[in-house]
Structure formats: C-alpha cells, structure tokens
Amino acid sequence: MYTDKVMDHFRNPRNVGALEDANAIGEVGNAKCGDIMKMYLKIEDDIIKDISFETFGCGSAIATSSMATEMVKDHPISEAIKLSNDAVVEALGGLPANKIHCSVLAEQAIKAALVDYYNRQGQDGEAMVGKLMTEEEIEATNHIEED
C-alpha cells in the first residue's frame, strides 16, 4: 500500500518543528480529512536556506511534508514556486489514490509560505507565486476509487 520511501519519511521525518527565525510561514488544511500543515522557511538572497514543518495528520501528510521540504531546501525560490504535488508523489514512489490530497497540501503549504514571504517584502505574494488553492479545490484532488 505504501512505498518504503513513504514509510521512511513517515517514521523518520526530516526538517520537523517550528523554525524560530523563519521569515516566511504558510499554513494550509483540509477540514474534511483533518490534515493541517504549517511550513516555516528561512530565505536569504532568494534561496531557501532552511525549512521546517509541523503537520497534524495521517502518515501520508507527514511523509509528503517531509519530502517536500527536502525537495526545496537550499534551492532558489524560483524552483520552489514550481514544486508540484506530482513531483512530491513521484519522489515518494507513489501514494494511494485517496491520499493524493496530502501531496497537494504539502505543495500548497510551501507556496503559502512563499506568498507570506513576498507579502512581508511589500509585494503581492499571490502575483509572485500564483493563486493558492481553496480547501475545496484541494479536496477535489483526491482520487477515491469507487467499487
């Protein structure tokens, strides 16, 4: 059901906890499943120098949060903006269809933090990063298989 990589990121999540000197914070959630993700970024010279997360949710939510942080840490903002949930799923070796929304939450939490970063700089964050998804749009990404 879950790949070894998903299980590894669930059991040994990377970059966990609040980042005290973060200059960008993003939080997203899905009331229907109960997952909440908060991402903390420390950005210097347009590079994500440090990143951490706090996630309340299922194993897939923790694993996708962990993987997403690994994928953007030490990378330019311009690359982090392009992070897709599909890339997170691929990096984990796949997710069950009904857990795809977890990867979307991870992507959106990072993008929400980037929106926050640009807003703090006096710029229009959504103009720089793109419009964030609504909770309903995130929920619609689930591919629950019918019998």
Side-chain angles (χ1 to χ4, degrees):
M1 180 173 211
Y2 291 105
T3 67
D4 290 342
K5 205 161 218 176
V6 170
M7 294 306 295
D8 179 44
H9 277 270
F10 166 63
R11 290 186 180 127
N12 307 293
R14 286 67 153 175
N15 309 306
V16 177
L19 189 61
E20 296 304 321
D21 61 346
N23 57 1
I25 301 171
E27 184 172 338
V28 296
N30 183 323
K32 194 166 188 178
C33 71
D35 295 331
I36 300 169
M37 295 181 185
K38 192 168 189 176
M39 294 282 178
Y40 301 86
L41 283 67
K42 176 67 176 174
I43 300 170
E44 296 174 8
D45 300 320
D46 289 331
I47 304 291
I48 299 171
K49 293 291 188 180
D50 204 359
I51 184 169
S52 67
F53 74 93
E54 294 177 312
T55 293
F56 178 83
C58 66
S60 294
I62 293 166
T64 57
S65 297
S66 175
M67 179 57 79
T69 63
E70 288 288 285
M71 294 175 75
V72 301
K73 189 174 185 175
D74 296 320
H75 289 268
I77 293 173
S78 59
E79 288 181 25
I81 288 172
K82 296 175 188 171
L83 178 71
S84 71
N85 75 293
D86 291 335
V88 174
V89 171
E90 184 178 324
L92 287 168
L95 281 175
N98 66 333
K99 295 296 183 178
I100 296 298
H101 72 279
C102 295
S103 64
V104 176
L105 284 170
E107 168 201 322
Q108 290 293 296
I110 288 174
K111 289 182 179 178
L114 293 172
V115 166
D116 178 58
Y117 174 75
Y118 282 118
N119 288 344
R120 290 180 189 210
Q121 307 302 311
Q123 299 178 51
D124 181 349
E126 282 202 346
M128 302 296 290
V129 177
K131 187 170 177 353
L132 298 174
M133 295 173 77
T134 65
E135 192 171 315
E136 292 78 22
E137 290 170 327
I138 292 169
E139 178 61 31
T141 63
N142 254 354
H143 304 290
I144 299 172
E145 296 175 5
E146 303 284 327
D147 287 331

